[in-house]
Amino acid sequence: MKAVLRLRREPFYRRDAFEKGLQRAGFTLVDKAAPSGPRDWLVIWNRKRGADEQEADLWEQRGGTVIVAENGYLAKTEKTHYAISVHGHNGSGWFPVGEEDRFSALGFELKPQRLFNYKEIVIREQRGIGSVLMASPPNWARKTLGTLQPKLKMPFRIAPHPGDKNKGAIDAANLKNAAALVTWGSAMGVRALVEGVPVFYAAPHWICEEGAQRLEFFPTPGFSEGARAAALHRMSHGQWHFDEIATGEPFARILAGSK
Amino acid sequence: MTTTLQNLPAMLALAVLVERLGGEVLISQADIDKIAYTRLLEGWAENGSAVLRVEHKSKEVQ
């Protein structure tokens, strides 16, 4: 088994965790290779459309496995958890979902579902990064606002993308008065589910789609406690702390599940 | 048979019936304005459905 690791050198602890984890799972790290089967991996960041996606497509066409890493979906401390899945990020790929509770360890209390007394619909701006399938269209938030506003008399607000720092706190502040969140497929939606805010998503796949509603059904959210819990459980098996990654466990689980 | 609609949208169903029976339905601009309505979101029911209040535009103008 060999693995080509395409993650940047920085941050060092992230690269180090992936290197150690892959080696502990039995991979030999190489700078470049052609796959000779599904146990040869190409490990990339996000599968962005363009050169990254072309390389991933080619790797898969030749019978190899593409592992996609990204920032985690939900964590108390940023840049500690990383999403890891086969083929695609944010629900567009596959990862094994075990039975053990990984969500509780993240330290988030599930708030009751919001029912009344919240008076704005928040639309989260998206940056348009991702594969051809998963990247949001240009100006998605503004176009969505134009579509939804005539359907419902309600204050709508576009929440700008928070950037790469302090995302959790900014997202939480943006959700303070939200009756619902409309998102392409952002991690803010995961936080919204935790806060009890109904989520409508528009991407073809989303990591917590089981606990949310497709945008075309707006404004009927159709939420349930069971669906929310199942969605967050699944999400928690799709992201790993860098210390866990260094043990090789997420990679071993993928290997076991791919047999 | 000619019917002028005064009380929309309940009369719409009757208008369709009248037309199907071969009658003529006259709808004024005022009637059309009354058809237009706005949906206001009150919140969400426990079962996950939206609780909406439907308000005719004519009421909104008042």
Side-chain angles (χ1 to χ4, degrees), chain A residues 11-44:
Chain A
F12 172 76
Y13 67 89
R14 182 180 73 191
R15 170 85 190 194
D16 186 56
F18 275 81
E19 282 182 4
K20 283 180 178 158
L22 287 164
Q23 286 168 337
R24 283 181 179 151
F27 288 90
T28 302
L29 297 180
V30 293
D31 287 336
K32 60 180 188 177
S36 51
R39 295 195 153 221
D40 287 341
W41 287 7
L42 173 66
V43 183
I44 59 173

Side-chain angles (χ1 to χ4, degrees), chain A residues 114-116 119 121 151-154 179-180 198 219-223, chain B residues 38-52 55 60:
Chain A
R114 291 184 183 179
L115 300 177
F116 294 94
K119 298 299 181 190
I121 307 284
K151 289 185 176 179
L152 201 64
K153 187 184 176 189
M154 184 90 177
T220 300
F223 51 67
Chain B
T38 305
R39 296 194 306 170
L40 296 98
L41 179 66
E42 301 265 294
W44 319 110
E46 295 275 0
N47 68 1
S49 60
V51 179
L52 299 167
E55 213 170 63
E60 197 182 323

Side-chain angles (χ1 to χ4, degrees), chain A residues 33 42 56 118 137 173 203-204 235:
Chain A
L42 173 66
Y118 294 91
M235 176 280 301

Side-chain angles (χ1 to χ4, degrees), chain B residues 12-31:
Chain B
L12 270 175
L14 180 60
V16 171
L17 180 64
V18 168
E19 203 167 51
R20 285 191 178 171
L21 289 172
E24 184 184 0
V25 181
L26 300 178
I27 301 178
S28 67
Q29 186 57 51
D31 292 329

